[in-house]
Amino acid sequence: MPRTALQWLSLVGAIWLQSINGTNSNFPAYSSQLKQLLSLSQLQLNNLAFASDAGKLFGWFSGIAAVYLPLWIVLLIGSSVGMIGYGVQYLFLTHKISSLSYGHIFFLTVLAGNSICWINTVCYIVIVRNFPLQRQAAVGLTTGYIGLSPVVYTAIVDAFYSQSSKTAEGYLLLNSILPLIVSVITAPFMSRIDVGKPKIQEAGFIVVSMITVATGIYAIISSLGYLPSKSSKVINVIGIGLCLSSPLVIPLAEYMRGILEQKCTIIRDRRVCDLTGEDDEEADRVVAENEGKDVEIITDIPEVAVMEDIGAKLMLKRLNFWLYFFVYFLGATLGLVYLNNLGQIAESRSHSNVCSLVSFSSAFGFFGRLFPVFQHYFYSRSKKRIPGPASIVCMMVPMAGGFFLLVNGADLSLYFSTAIIGACTGAITSISVSVTTELFGTNNFGVNHNIVVANIPMGSFVFGNLAALLYRKARKVHERCIGLDCYKNTFIIWGTLCSVGIILALILHLRTRKFYFHRL
């Protein structure tokens, strides 16, 4: 198989892995049911959401493992850990295991959350190395699909679990087996491909981007929940499967191209296809000239432009790191905490279809994660680029507005704010991969970026428990809090904290603007 086909196949593998790797993001869809089944308080439920994120505290283990082990082994370790974490919980809910304490469930949830880091680490390393000149676009495309995970899981659960009482069981079963199945399928081609001199493959990325946008539009339409029958829900699952299979056209085209090049010399103007072997020299010259118009070979620029390539210990001593850490903490992490609590927030507003709202937020998060792709496309033509920290500022401003808008009790404001927060959270998450690489290098990326995202469990604990305490304070008599007062103060606090994050992001931008200006 041609090396370029293997290169694109690794990108398709990363897309598939990311599309099923957001297992913690579907927690809001069944959190209310889990709360009832296990007789949990709101604080205990928030601690379970924190536990899922707490697995990221140990995500740096996956970065170290990726240095010493083949990536396919790292991938299978991660999916196996997730199978244990979610699988045991599934056995407990289906009464296959008689006794399981809250402490056991907490630990299993931490284990399951840690599995996500292993799969993410493999995807990031493979994409960063296999597409060095289009790293930002490749990372944006692949990480975008993690926002599609709740849509995938919700579609399958809706199609095959008709009883609402079985929803939690369905999610836990899928969370345990689906990542392992996809990991086994993709493991053979999740490795670094030596493609020789770096090439800009604009046409392939344009096609994948078009497929991705079409997939996102389909995800939004399907997440609105207007599917009247069970058969149409099965068709919806098939439709999502076809969307995820569509990127295979790129490696398939490269494979066919390799076969054709072995059989005959192809002339781009379609006037000559010399099967006799005559004038081989002239044909090769014409092919070389024409191929240069479609695929540009770059020899005078480095694979990755970085401010400094340093390890974790030295990174922790940099002021830029701590600014970046708290910007992420008050930006993407805050958005993720909101999305983790979306089930309870929707319930407090008496919103009936929580699963639909979760899928809706995920679909917009999917588009938000594509922001670096659009940015790269614009930069490749205008020769202008928005620095990474400035891009984060641009995303945090509407996010802060989204939190304040939630104070309004209308359903329209709930959907509008959720769309904004989901999209901005996804964008910051995707941008951060490139920013970590540019600020601290690629050699230790697996460890460095896992240290950055370690702020997610910290924020989940602090912000989540703060919301739970305010929720409990607002509750008067009823077991469940209903009304705007349940989360009104929480939204104001979150919006204010996000505004502080904007200031920190501006400071980081001012400190690093010379580096980005020099790159231009």
Side-chain angles (χ1 to χ4, degrees):
M1 182 178 292
R3 291 180 178 180
T4 52
L6 291 173
Q7 184 184 20
W8 283 104
L9 201 57
S10 68
L11 185 135
V12 174
I15 285 175
W16 290 352
L17 287 169
Q18 294 287 51
S19 65
I20 51 85
N21 195 35
T23 49
N24 62 338
S25 58
N26 60 43
F27 178 76
Y30 63 91
S31 60
S32 295
Q33 186 186 16
L34 196 66
K35 180 181 178 181
Q36 295 175 2
L37 291 173
L38 302 179
S39 301
L40 303 178
S41 67
Q42 184 63 31
L43 190 60
Q44 287 177 315
L45 187 67
N46 274 277
N47 284 333
L48 282 185
F50 156 71
S52 180
D53 292 328
K56 295 181 177 65
L57 288 172
F58 309 99
W60 52 273
F61 279 113
S62 63
I64 295 176
V67 175
Y68 298 101
L69 298 174
L71 291 179
W72 66 270
I73 293 181
V74 178
L75 182 61
L76 294 180
I77 290 174
S79 57
S80 299
V81 168
M83 183 186 67
I84 295 171
Y86 287 114
V88 175
Q89 293 184 64
Y90 168 76
L91 294 175
F92 173 67
L93 283 186
T94 54
H95 308 291
K96 301 296 190 301
I97 296 178
S98 57
S99 61
L100 206 62
S101 67
Y102 178 79
H104 292 145
I105 294 175
F106 186 92
F107 173 74
L108 290 169
T109 306
V110 171
L111 203 62
N114 180 253
S115 68
I116 297 172
C117 299
W118 291 74
I119 298 176
N120 276 342
T121 298
V122 172
C123 292
Y124 291 156
I125 291 176
V126 168
I127 294 304
V128 167
R129 291 177 178 177
N130 287 355
F131 297 91
L133 298 182
Q134 291 175 293
R135 178 186 71 253
Q136 189 177 32
V139 168
L141 281 170
T142 54
T143 57
Y145 278 86
I146 199 172
L148 200 66
S149 283
V151 179
V152 174
Y153 284 100
T154 299
I156 298 175
V157 170
D158 284 347
F160 299 102
Y161 286 85
S162 56
Q163 298 180 14
S164 58
S165 60
K166 300 292 184 180
T167 299
E169 296 177 10
Y171 277 108
L172 289 173
L173 177 62
L174 286 174
N175 286 351
S176 63
I177 64 173
L178 197 55
L180 181 61
I181 293 172
V182 177
S183 295
V184 171
I185 294 172
T186 58
F189 42 87
M190 291 305 292
S191 60
R192 180 172 184 174
I193 309 300
D194 184 8
V195 293
K197 294 180 180 179
K199 299 177 182 179
I200 293 180
Q201 299 163 306
E202 198 69 40
F205 275 100
I206 291 175
V207 173
V208 177
S209 297
M210 292 173 62
I211 293 172
T212 302
V213 170
T215 302
I217 294 173
Y218 180 83
I220 290 178
I221 294 173
S222 64
S223 68
L224 295 177
Y226 298 123
L227 297 172
S229 65
K230 183 176 180 179
S231 61
S232 61
K233 293 180 179 181
V234 174
I235 293 174
N236 182 38
V237 175
I238 297 173
I240 292 175
L242 291 175
C243 289
L244 294 177
S245 301
S246 298
L248 279 173
V249 298
I250 305 298
L252 182 61
E254 290 291 338
Y255 177 69
M256 296 302 296
R257 179 182 176 184
I259 293 177
L260 291 174
E261 286 180 347
Q262 290 176 359
K263 292 182 177 179
C264 66
T265 303
I266 301 175
I267 305 302
R268 289 287 176 162
D269 59 8
R270 298 182 178 179
R271 290 180 298 178
V272 179
C273 183
D274 186 3
L275 300 176
T276 64
E278 298 177 0
D279 298 326
D280 285 340
E281 248 180 68
E282 180 64 16
D284 289 341
R285 184 186 65 78
V286 175
V287 169
E289 290 177 356
N290 283 279
E291 282 185 346
K293 298 176 184 178
D294 183 59
V295 179
E296 182 182 355
I297 298 178
I298 306 297
T299 58
D300 58 345
I301 63 174
E303 290 190 0
V304 179
V306 298
M307 181 178 289
E308 54 181 347
D309 208 331
I310 56 178
K313 290 183 179 179
L314 194 55
M315 181 184 71
L316 291 172
K317 298 178 181 179
R318 296 286 191 263
L319 177 59
N320 285 346
F321 165 76
W322 291 106
L323 285 171
Y324 179 41
F325 184 89
F326 283 105
V327 166
Y328 199 104
F329 184 73
L330 299 175
T333 296
L334 201 55
L336 290 172
V337 172
Y338 168 77
L339 297 176
N340 284 341
N341 286 272
L342 191 55
Q344 299 301 305
I345 292 170
E347 183 184 65
S348 70
R349 291 177 174 242
S350 301
H351 188 77
S352 57
N353 198 342
V354 177
C355 291
S356 174
L357 185 61
V358 171
S359 296
F360 182 78
S361 67
S362 301
F364 274 92
F366 172 78
F367 274 111
R369 291 171 184 268
L370 296 181
F371 177 80
V373 181
F374 302 134
Q375 188 182 48
H376 172 82
Y377 183 79
F378 174 78
Y379 167 65
S380 64
R381 281 154 178 75
S382 67
K383 302 303 180 183
K384 296 179 181 179
R385 187 183 178 207
I386 303 176
S391 299
I392 295 177
V393 172
C394 294
M395 293 298 104
M396 290 181 69
V397 170
M399 179 186 286
F403 284 125
F404 289 121
L405 183 61
L406 284 166
V407 177
N408 187 295
D411 281 347
L412 182 61
S413 68
L414 175 63
Y415 272 90
F416 192 63
S417 298
T418 299
I420 292 174
I421 296 171
C424 294
T425 300
I428 297 171
T429 303
S430 187
I431 293 169
S432 67
V433 177
S434 295
V435 174
T436 302
T437 305
E438 291 163 354
L439 295 183
F440 310 115
T442 59
N443 290 337
N444 300 283
F445 171 80
V447 176
N448 290 350
H449 193 65
N450 277 300
I451 291 176
V452 172
V453 299
N455 70 70
I456 294 177
M458 298 177 188
S460 180
F461 179 79
V462 174
F463 301 137
N465 282 332
L466 174 63
L469 292 173
L470 293 174
Y471 176 95
R472 187 168 61 181
K473 184 179 179 181
R475 190 180 66 202
K476 303 299 182 183
V477 179
H478 303 290
E479 181 65 24
R480 294 182 298 175
C481 184
I482 303 297
L484 290 179
D485 290 339
C486 302
Y487 286 97
K488 181 179 179 180
N489 292 333
T490 299
F491 296 145
I492 294 174
I493 293 172
W494 286 355
T496 304
L497 290 173
C498 189
S499 301
V500 174
I502 294 171
I503 297 173
L504 295 178
L506 285 171
I507 295 174
L508 179 63
H509 168 63
L510 293 175
R511 287 180 55 85
T512 59
R513 70 184 189 279
K514 290 183 179 180
F515 162 70
Y516 286 98
F517 178 78
H518 177 71
R519 288 186 60 188
L520 299 178

